[in-house]
Amino acid sequence: MRKLHDAPFPIIDTDPIFGRVIRYMRPSDYVMGVALTALGPGFIYWMEKYQPAGLSRKHMVRGMGLATCIGATVGFMSAYAASS
């Protein structure tokens, strides 16, 4: 029989369910998720401040909203992968 991985501790669960992964997230996983969520809009704000594109407020709000959604998805998926 083949081992799944080499680790100094026994495997607890090879296929955890969604609720269990969320329940056992560490504080560092939450910090990583929040940081990645803030990175997208922060980058757009920084780029607009130092090299303005001349967008209207409506387009800027839409871009920030999209960057926040993408950042939240990436942040959640990264935190989920790190804690599972």
Side-chain angles (χ1 to χ4, degrees):
M1 180 177 249
R2 196 179 89 181
K3 289 179 82 173
L4 292 176
H5 66 21
D6 295 322
F9 47 86
I11 297 174
I12 296 173
D13 193 359
T14 57
D15 189 23
I17 59 173
F18 180 78
R20 189 177 302 155
V21 172
I22 300 300
R23 194 171 47 234
Y24 291 131
M25 278 188 179
R26 299 177 301 251
S28 62
D29 297 332
Y30 285 112
V31 168
M32 180 179 57
V34 169
L36 286 172
T37 300
L39 194 64
F43 180 72
I44 288 180
Y45 176 76
W46 179 75
M47 287 297 292
E48 187 63 29
K49 183 172 179 157
Y50 290 105
Q51 193 169 9
L55 296 175
S56 66
R57 180 168 171 76
K58 175 185 169 185
H59 290 100
M60 189 66 181
V61 169
R62 279 187 156 182
M64 291 291 248
L66 182 62
T68 302
C69 289
I70 292 171
T73 302
V74 169
F76 174 75
M77 296 302 280
S78 296
Y80 186 88
S83 69
S84 62

